[in-house]
Amino acid sequence: MFEMPSGAEIQSIISILKGGAGFFVPEIYLSALFMVLIILDLVTGRKNARFLAAVTIAGLVGSLYYIFKQQAMPDTEFFFGMYALDRFGIFFKYFFVASGILAVLLTVIDDQLKKHESGMGEYYALLVAMVVGMMMMASSTDLLMMFLAMELVSLSAYAMTGYLKRDPRSSEAALKYLVYGAVSSGMLLYGFSLLYGMTAQTNLTRIAMVLAAHGYDPLVMIMAVLLIMAGLGYKMGAVPFHFWSPDVYEGAPTPVTAYLSVGSKAAGFAMLMRFFFVAVPHGMDMYVSPLHIDWLMILMLVSAASMIYGNVVAIWQKNVKRLLAYSSIAHAGYLLLGIITMDQLGTQSVLVYLASYLLMNYGAFYVVILIANRTGSENLDDYRGLGKKMPLAGAALTVFLISLVGLPPTFGFIGKLMIFSALLSKGSLFMWLALIGILTSVISLYYYMLIPLNMYLRESERPEEGVVETGMGAKLVTATLMILTLYFGLFFQPIANYAKYSSVLFGAFLN
Amino acid sequence: MLSLIVFLPIIAGLIILAVPSSQKQIIRIVSLLAALGQGVLAVLIWRQYDPTMAGIVAASGGSPFGSFQMIEKIPWISLDLGSFGPLNIEYFLGVDGISITMVLLTALISAIGVLSSWTIQKQVKGYFILYNLLATAMMGCFVALDFFLFYVFWELMLLPMYFLIGIWGGPNREYAAIKFFLYTLFGSVFMLLVMIGLYFSVIDPLTGHHTFSLVAMADQANYIKGAILGPDSVTWRYAAFIVLFVGFAIKVPMFPFHTWLPDAHVEAPTPISVILAGVLLKLGTYGMMRINFPLFPEVFQAGMYVIGVFGAINIIYGAFCALAQQDLKKMVAYSSISHMGYVLLGLAAANSEGMLGALYQMFNHGTITAMLFLLVGVIYDRAHSRQIDKFGGLASYMPVYTGFVTVAWFASLGLPGLSGFISEAFVFVGAFREEVTRPIAIVSVLGIVFGAAYLLWSLQRMFLGKRKPDALYDLEVDAHGHEHIHFHDWKGKLDLDARELTMLIPLGIIVIALGIYPMPVMGLLTTSINKLVQVLAPVAMSAVH
C-alpha cells in the first residue's frame, strides 16, 4: 500500500526532523538522562539510591536551562505538525520538571522505598520518562502524538505504582490502574478514530479547520468528544472517570501518589485544554446537536460532579492518602471551572491554580511521608498528638491543608480567587458552578481540618515520647514549601503574570 | 501608624517563635508589651483623629481617598488580566469614625485578653503565637479599606480562633471549634463571590480600572451599568446583599445563625471568650456598616424592616434563652446575642440616633461583655464550675468581686448612669422615630425587662442569701465566730487578686465614665454616622440614578 519514498523525499524528511530537533532539546536531553540513569544503575551496584537521586535532581535542574532557552524561540509547530513549541507548553515543561524534582525529594525521605530490596535504579529512570511523557502530553498537537505521549506517561506510572513488589497493596493498585488505564486508552483511541473519520486529519489545527469548513454530524461529534473525555478524564481523575484513584493513591508508594496526583493530573489538563481549545472550539452555533449538549456542557457537569463527589465522599475517609485522593478529585473539578470559561483569564487561572496545587499537594504529601516514617501508617487516628512531637511538620501540614481549602493568606486561596474571578467575569452565566464551588469548599474545610484536629486537639496514646527529629534536610524542604505557600498567597504577582503570559496556545483563539 | 498597630502583635508572635517554649514568662511579657504598644498607638491615633471628618465614602471633588484619616495606600498586587485591564490590589488602610471606635475597643480588649491569658499553662508558646495572630487579624479588619485586604484579615481570624478554642478549650472543644469554623467560613465564602462580583462592577474614577477599594465601592456613581452588580442588575444586587448580610449576621450572631456562639463561648478559655464577645462579634455589625449597607443602599432600604425584625428576635429570643440557662457563661453568651440585637435594631432604623446608638452599643457591649466574661472566669477558676445554683451568699465572702459583678450586671441590663443605658436609649429613640421600626421597637423593649430578669435573678441566686447546701465551697467558722470560705483546690486569693483587678478596674471605669459622659467616644463617631445615614438615605440614591 505504501510506496517507497524516493531518496529526495527521505532527504527532506530528515532535514525537517533535524530542523524540528532544535525545538525539542529539553525532551531529548531528558531522554538522554533516562538512559544515563539506567546505565548508572547497572554500573554502580545495589546501594546507589542516594547517588541516583542526586543525579536525577541534578539532571532535572539542568533541563531547566534548555527550557529557559526555549523562551526566546517563537511559537511554532514542527515535526510535520505533530508537536508545538509555545508558551503554554513551556509553562508545563517547567511545571513537570518541578514536579519531578519534588517527587525525587519525596522519594529520598520515604522509608518504605528506602528499604526496597531491589534498588531504586528503574524508579528514577521511570520518573524521568514520565516527565518526558508529560511534557509531550502538554505540547502534542496531533492525535497520534497525543496518544503516544499519554501511553508513555501511563506505562511509567503503572510500573511506579507497583514498585513495591512485595507489598500486595502496591501490586493491587498497579493492576487496577493498568486495567482502568487500558480501558480508557481504548476509549480515547475510539474517540480519536471517530474524529479522524469525520475530518481525515490528525493535526488539531487542521481538524478545527475541516470542522469549521465542512461541518459535522453533531451526534457523532458528541460521541467522539465523550469518548475522548473519558480518556482524558481518567488522567485528570475527574468524576465519573475517577474510580481508580482512591485505590491507586492508597496503594501506591506515597511519593508516587503525590507525583500522580499533581504531575499526571496536570498533564491531563494540559492536553484537555489544548485539544478542546484548538481542535473543537466551542460556539459553532450552526451545528448545535439535537440533544443541545456540547463538550462545554459535558465539562460543566463533570466539573460539578467532581467537586460534589470528591468533597462529600472525602468526609468519611480514615486514611489520609485516601482522603487526599478524594480531595484531588475535587480539585480536578475546580480546575475544570477555569477551562469552561474558554478565555484567557480562565486559562491563566488554571495555570495559577496548578502552580498552587503543586506546592500545597506536594507539601501535604511530604509531611504525610514524614509522619508515616514515624508511625508506619497513614491512618487519621495515628496522627493524634503529632502537633507536639513534630512542631514544624505539623504547622506546615496545617498551612498546606488550609491552602487546599483555599483560605487566605495561602497560595491555594489565590488559585480559587482566580478561578472564581474567571467564572464571574462572564457575568451570571456560570454562577451556579461558582456556588457549587464555594459551597463544596466549605465542606472540604471539614475533612481537611480532621488532620489538624487529630494532630493538635487530641492527645496521643503514647504521650511520653518527646519531639521527633526528622533531619535537617527534611526540615528545610518542609519549611521552604510552607514559606512558598504563604509567600505566594500574599505576593502572587510574578506567578500570576507568568501564567497570563503563558496562556497562549498554538493555534487557539481565546478571547 | 496604622500598619504598626496592625502588625505589632504579629511581630511579637515572630519574636515568641524564637523564644524557647520553657521561657513562659518571657513569652507572656512580649505579648503584653505588644498589646500595650497597641494601646499606646491607639491612644495616639485617637489624639490625632479629627472628628469633624466623615469618612465612609470618597467626598465628591475632594480628596480621592474620601475623608479618611491616617491613610496608608501602596500598590500591593498589580496583574494584567487581559480584557479586564489590570487587577489592582492595594494595601489600603485608613480610619473614620466607625473604625476608630473599633480600633480603640480592639486595642483595649486585646491587652485585657493578654492579662487574662496569664493563667494559661498548657503550651504557652503556641497559645501566644496564635493569640497575636488573631490580634493582628482583628485590628487589620477594622482598618482595611480594600475589600481584598479586608477579606484576607477576615479569614485570617478563623484558624487561630479554631485552635484557641480547640486546644485550650473545655471538654467539648472539638465540636465547638469546628462548628465555629464551619459556620463562619460558610458565611465568608459567599463574601468571596460578592467581592469578585463587585470588582467587576466597580470602576475607580481615579484610575479608570476595576478596583477592590471599599471607598470607591461605597459611591454608587462608580458602578458600571450592565455589570453583574451594576445599578441595573437588581436581582444580583439583592442576592449579593443577602449573602453578604448572612455572612456578617453569622458573625454577629443573628438568629437563626447564632447556635455556634453558646458552644464556642462555653468551651473557649476565658481570654478567648473575652476576645470573641468583645471584638469578634463587632466585626459582623462593623462589616454591615462598612460594606454591606453602603454598597447596596437601595437593598438596605428595602430590607430595613426585616433586619429590624431579626434584631427584635435576637433581643427577645436571646433574653429568653439566657433566662433558661443554668451555666453562668452560657447565660452571658445568650445575653450577648440579646445585646447584639440592639445593634441590629439601631442599624435598621437607619437614622442618626439609631446608627449612633448601634455603634455606641457595639463599643459598650465590647467593654461590658468583656467584664462579664472575665468575672465568669474568676469564679470558674476558683470553683471549676459555673452552675448558677451551686453558689449562694458569695457577697459576704467576696465583696470586691460582688461589687464588680454588680457594676457589670447593671451595665448590661442598661441601668441609667452606666454606659449600656445610653446606647440602648439611643437605639430605642432611633427605632421609635421611624414609622417602620416603631412597632419593632415597642416589642423589643420587652427585651430589657427579660434582660433585667435573668441578670437580677442570677445575681440573687449566686451572691445573695446563704450558702446553698450543695455549694461548691466549704464554710468554716473560726474561734471568733467569723465565717470563712474556701474553694476545694484554690490556693490563690479568695477575692479578686491584683491581676484580676488590673483587668477589671479599667473596664469598670470606662463603663461608668462613658455612662455619665459619653462624649469621648460619641464625639468621634457622630460625623461619620451622619454621613453614613446620608449615604443610605433614599434621597442620596435617587440623586445618583
Side-chain angles (χ1 to χ4, degrees):
Chain A
M1 199 169 158
F2 287 106
E3 279 174 48
M4 250 334 246
S6 69
E9 273 174 331
I10 291 174
Q11 282 302 320
S12 88
I13 288 171
I14 289 173
S15 74
I16 288 177
L17 288 179
K18 267 161 77 182
F23 303 109
F24 202 61
V25 180
E27 286 87 345
I28 294 172
Y29 169 86
L30 285 171
S31 309
L33 180 65
F34 167 76
M35 281 181 269
V36 166
L37 280 169
I38 290 182
I39 293 165
L40 276 180
D41 181 41
L42 289 176
V43 295
T44 52
R46 278 274 167 258
K47 298 272 172 204
N48 55 4
R50 278 185 170 274
F51 171 67
L52 287 177
V55 173
T56 314
I57 290 192
L60 286 171
V61 170
S63 74
L64 291 175
Y65 169 72
Y66 295 103
I67 303 171
F68 180 73
K69 279 217 316 206
Q70 288 193 326
Q71 279 194 314
M73 298 177 189
D75 289 6
T76 174
E77 218 175 17
F78 52 94
F79 291 160
F80 306 99
M82 286 277 197
Y83 208 79
L85 174 69
D86 56 10
R87 298 180 202 167
F88 181 78
I90 292 175
F91 177 92
F92 276 100
K93 281 173 196 167
Y94 282 127
F95 184 90
F96 294 134
V97 169
S99 149
I101 292 172
L102 283 166
V104 177
L105 288 177
L106 261 68
T107 309
V108 276
I109 56 156
D110 190 89
D111 275 355
Q112 240 187 335
L113 283 171
K114 246 183 236 166
K115 290 180 201 132
H116 189 56
E117 65 267 29
S118 53
M120 296 297 292
E122 308 92 327
Y123 180 91
Y124 290 115
L126 287 167
L127 193 145
V128 171
M130 209 165 137
V131 172
V132 179
M134 293 190 297
M135 283 183 173
M136 288 166 65
M137 274 178 80
S139 300
S140 301
T141 51
D142 188 283
L143 297 181
L144 284 174
M145 199 66 183
M146 284 164 74
F147 182 71
L148 280 179
M150 199 160 140
E151 286 306 293
L152 177 55
V153 173
S154 297
L155 289 174
S156 319
Y158 303 147
M160 285 174 82
T161 305
Y163 203 74
L164 297 169
K165 277 171 268 187
R166 303 292 159 110
D167 182 356
R169 282 196 311 164
S170 177
S171 308
E172 183 198 330
L175 189 62
K176 272 188 183 156
Y177 198 24
L178 173 71
V179 171
Y180 275 106
V183 172
S184 55
S185 292
M187 287 164 98
L188 183 81
L189 267 188
Y190 196 0
F192 280 172
S193 68
L194 283 177
L195 205 56
Y196 180 73
M198 286 159 77
T199 58
Q201 296 291 344
T202 55
N203 178 284
L204 296 184
T205 323
R206 292 210 201 110
I207 288 174
M209 277 155 55
V210 173
L211 287 178
H214 301 291
Y216 52 83
D217 182 345
L219 203 61
V220 181
M221 187 65 188
I222 205 75
M223 271 184 67
V225 163
L226 262 178
L227 288 164
I228 292 166
M229 193 99 74
L232 293 172
Y234 154 81
K235 271 268 161 287
M236 301 183 300
V239 176
F241 317 110
H242 64 280
F243 290 103
W244 58 277
S245 75
D247 291 333
V248 171
Y249 280 23
E250 191 186 347
T254 316
V256 179
T257 307
Y259 195 32
L260 290 180
S261 73
V262 178
S264 117
K265 185 188 284 284
F269 273 96
M271 202 157 128
L272 178 92
M273 279 153 93
R274 195 179 285 284
F275 176 75
F276 280 112
F277 288 174
V278 178
V280 268
H282 178 60
M284 297 181 185
D285 298 329
M286 36 201 179
Y287 307 115
V288 175
S289 88
L291 303 165
H292 288 285
I293 46 172
D294 60 358
W295 65 268
L296 203 58
M297 193 66 209
I298 300 171
L299 274 191
M300 286 188 212
L301 294 176
V302 168
S303 162
S306 302
M307 290 188 287
I308 295 171
Y309 179 84
N311 279 322
V312 171
V313 179
I315 295 177
W316 289 279
Q317 301 311 315
K318 295 273 170 271
N319 179 297
V320 174
K321 273 164 86 178
R322 236 184 142 75
L323 187 148
L324 288 172
Y326 281 103
S327 109
S328 96
I329 296 174
H331 282 282
Y334 294 120
L335 282 160
L336 281 172
L337 291 178
I339 299 178
I340 286 160
T341 58
M342 276 288 287
D343 59 3
Q344 206 172 16
L345 183 56
T347 312
Q348 181 189 4
S349 69
V350 171
L351 299 186
V352 172
Y353 200 103
L354 278 173
S356 74
Y357 191 63
L358 173 86
L359 278 179
M360 60 200 184
N361 218 34
Y362 267 118
F365 275 112
Y366 195 86
V367 179
V368 167
I369 293 173
L370 286 180
I371 291 173
N373 285 345
R374 264 252 326 105
T375 61
S377 93
E378 283 108 17
N379 280 331
L380 262 179
D381 289 340
D382 294 324
Y383 278 56
R384 286 186 188 174
L386 278 175
K388 258 186 257 174
K389 292 179 197 162
M390 309 171 90
L392 175 69
L397 185 53
T398 309
V399 169
F400 299 135
L401 294 171
I402 283 299
S403 180
L404 284 165
V405 179
L407 289 182
T410 59
F411 201 9
F413 166 65
I414 304 305
K416 286 235 162 70
L417 176 82
M418 298 284 295
I419 293 262
F420 289 128
S421 299
L423 278 182
L424 291 193
S425 72
K426 297 281 177 195
S428 52
L429 189 58
F430 298 119
M431 190 61 91
W432 63 282
L433 280 171
L435 286 175
I436 293 177
I438 56 162
L439 286 176
T440 50
S441 67
V442 178
I443 299 176
S444 78
L445 174 82
Y446 176 77
Y447 66 79
Y448 285 128
M449 287 312 280
L450 284 177
I451 298 174
L453 174 93
N454 276 291
M455 285 197 305
Y456 290 101
L457 273 58
R458 290 184 179 158
E459 294 295 331
S460 135
E461 282 125 30
R462 288 167 296 180
E464 69 282 357
E465 290 174 359
V467 174
V468 180
E469 274 306 317
T470 50
M472 214 43 221
K475 270 189 182 165
L476 195 70
V477 176
T478 319
T480 313
L481 287 172
M482 173 172 79
I483 290 168
L484 284 179
T485 306
L486 290 172
Y487 179 81
F488 288 127
L490 291 172
F491 306 98
F492 53 95
Q493 197 168 327
I495 286 204
N497 275 336
Y498 182 63
K500 161 83 171 44
Y501 170 82
S502 304
S503 57
V504 176
L505 280 84
F506 189 85
F509 298 98
L510 298 174
N511 43 8
Chain B
M1 186 112 102
L2 288 181
S3 289
L4 196 56
I5 198 172
V6 170
F7 290 108
L8 201 55
I10 229 172
I11 295 168
L14 289 175
I15 295 171
I16 290 171
L17 206 57
V19 177
S21 47
S22 53
Q23 300 291 326
K24 294 184 180 176
Q25 205 62 19
I26 296 180
I27 292 171
R28 294 185 185 119
I29 289 170
V30 170
S31 301
L32 184 63
L33 286 177
L36 291 178
Q38 266 194 318
V40 171
L41 285 169
V43 171
L44 285 177
I45 290 171
W46 179 36
R47 299 311 306 162
Q48 272 185 31
Y49 181 79
D50 174 6
T52 57
M53 286 168 73
I56 308 291
V57 65
S60 47
S63 150
F65 313 127
S67 39
F68 284 90
Q69 300 179 42
M70 282 158 256
I71 286 161
E72 291 174 30
K73 190 176 186 183
I74 38 174
W76 171 18
I77 282 153
S78 177
L79 293 182
D80 188 9
L81 285 191
S83 52
F84 291 96
L87 169 88
N88 287 313
I89 302 173
E90 272 161 339
Y91 178 77
F92 184 14
L93 305 179
V95 285
D96 63 359
I98 304 178
S99 36
I100 191 158
T101 24
M102 292 297 113
V103 168
L104 290 173
L105 180 69
T106 308
L108 176 70
I109 301 293
S110 294
I112 301 266
V114 173
L115 279 176
S116 170
S117 307
W118 224 258
T119 48
I120 299 273
Q121 295 298 339
K122 184 178 163 191
Q123 300 176 50
V124 177
K125 183 173 170 177
Y127 177 88
F128 277 102
I129 292 174
L130 290 168
Y131 184 91
N132 281 312
L133 193 59
L134 180 66
T136 286
M138 292 188 306
M139 193 59 97
C141 264
F142 285 125
V143 295
L145 288 178
D146 184 282
F147 205 156
F148 186 89
L149 189 62
F150 175 87
Y151 188 80
V152 169
F153 282 127
W154 178 272
E155 297 279 57
L156 193 58
M157 283 185 304
L158 300 184
L159 194 68
M161 204 61 190
Y162 169 80
F163 283 122
L164 287 168
I165 297 175
I167 300 179
W168 290 272
N172 202 11
R173 52 182 195 257
E174 278 181 19
Y175 171 76
I178 196 69
K179 192 172 178 182
F180 162 80
F181 208 160
L182 284 174
Y183 260 71
T184 34
L185 184 72
F186 177 78
S188 59
V189 285
F190 288 108
M191 200 192 295
L192 175 65
L193 285 191
V194 175
M195 178 177 95
I196 297 169
L198 282 167
Y199 174 78
F200 286 120
S201 311
V202 175
I203 292 275
D204 189 343
L206 287 174
T207 58
H209 298 308
H210 293 287
T211 178
F212 279 115
S213 157
L214 285 170
V215 182
M217 284 177 181
D219 188 347
Q220 295 302 314
N222 295 336
Y223 285 74
I224 316 165
K225 276 217 160 58
I228 180 157
L229 294 176
D232 47 352
S233 172
V234 179
T235 321
W236 288 114
R237 279 182 70 85
Y238 269 73
F241 178 88
I242 291 168
V243 294
L244 263 188
F245 184 75
V246 169
F248 291 125
I250 288 173
K251 207 85 167 183
V252 170
M254 186 186 85
F255 176 88
F257 310 112
H258 64 282
T259 60
W260 63 269
L261 183 84
D263 288 313
H265 267 314
V266 169
E267 302 306 327
T270 304
I272 302 310
S273 283
V274 170
I275 294 275
L276 188 59
V279 182
L280 248 61
L281 305 190
K282 311 304 173 289
L283 272 162
T285 38
Y286 172 79
M288 290 178 190
M289 292 172 94
R290 168 71 65 215
I291 299 173
N292 204 177
F293 299 167
L295 268 50
F296 303 98
E298 82 284 7
V299 194
F300 170 67
Q301 286 295 335
M304 272 160 58
Y305 184 74
V306 183
I307 297 169
V309 168
F310 274 112
I313 295 176
N314 251 38
I315 296 172
I316 293 172
Y317 176 81
F320 267 125
C321 287
L323 204 51
Q325 297 311 316
Q326 290 299 314
D327 182 326
L328 188 63
K329 202 169 184 186
K330 228 172 180 163
M331 186 197 90
V332 175
Y334 276 110
S335 90
S336 266
I337 296 177
S338 179
H339 284 102
M340 290 309 282
Y342 293 111
V343 179
L344 287 173
L345 181 61
L347 292 177
N351 51 23
S352 294
E353 294 89 336
M355 289 263 178
L356 201 62
L359 188 50
Y360 196 42
Q361 169 77 355
M362 278 157 69
F363 187 86
N364 289 337
H365 179 256
T367 47
I368 295 171
T369 319
M371 255 181 114
L372 293 177
F373 278 113
L374 286 173
L375 291 162
V376 172
V378 167
I379 196 73
Y380 184 71
D381 281 346
R382 286 158 174 72
H384 304 296
S385 168
R386 298 176 297 242
Q387 290 295 308
I388 296 175
D389 48 8
K390 294 266 166 127
F391 295 95
L394 282 177
S396 355
Y397 315 112
M398 299 171 75
V400 186
Y401 178 61
T402 311
F404 275 102
V405 167
T406 317
V407 171
W409 255 239
F410 279 115
S412 182
L413 67 78
L415 191 77
L418 297 167
S419 61
F421 167 72
I422 296 182
S423 46
E424 281 172 29
F426 267 92
V427 164
F428 279 114
V429 169
F432 219 81
R433 221 188 74 188
E434 302 297 316
E435 222 156 282
V436 195
T437 46
R438 190 172 299 150
I440 308 172
I442 293 171
V443 178
S444 305
V445 174
L446 284 176
I448 297 202
V449 180
F450 297 126
Y454 65 77
L455 287 163
L456 292 175
W457 193 30
S458 63
L459 200 62
Q460 182 202 344
R461 282 189 287 172
M462 285 183 73
F463 295 93
L464 307 180
K466 290 234 175 302
R467 176 184 182 274
K468 296 255 167 66
D470 56 347
L472 291 159
Y473 56 86
D474 299 322
L475 191 62
E476 282 164 9
V477 185
D478 65 10
H480 305 287
H482 295 304
E483 287 181 334
H484 296 283
I485 65 165
H486 65 84
F487 293 98
H488 299 296
D489 51 357
W490 175 251
K491 304 277 185 299
K493 200 171 171 222
L494 178 66
D495 212 333
L496 299 178
D497 62 24
R499 184 184 58 90
E500 287 158 349
L501 283 173
T502 330
M503 298 186 287
L504 287 167
I505 288 174
L507 288 173
I509 291 175
I510 290 172
V511 166
I512 295 170
L514 290 181
I516 299 165
Y517 184 66
M519 280 326 278
V521 172
M522 229 178 223
L524 290 175
L525 43 91
T526 35
T527 328
S528 292
I529 287 291
N530 287 335
K531 181 78 186 176
L532 181 61
V533 169
Q534 200 189 324
V535 167
L536 296 179
V539 189
M541 285 183 306
S542 57
V544 169
H545 295 304

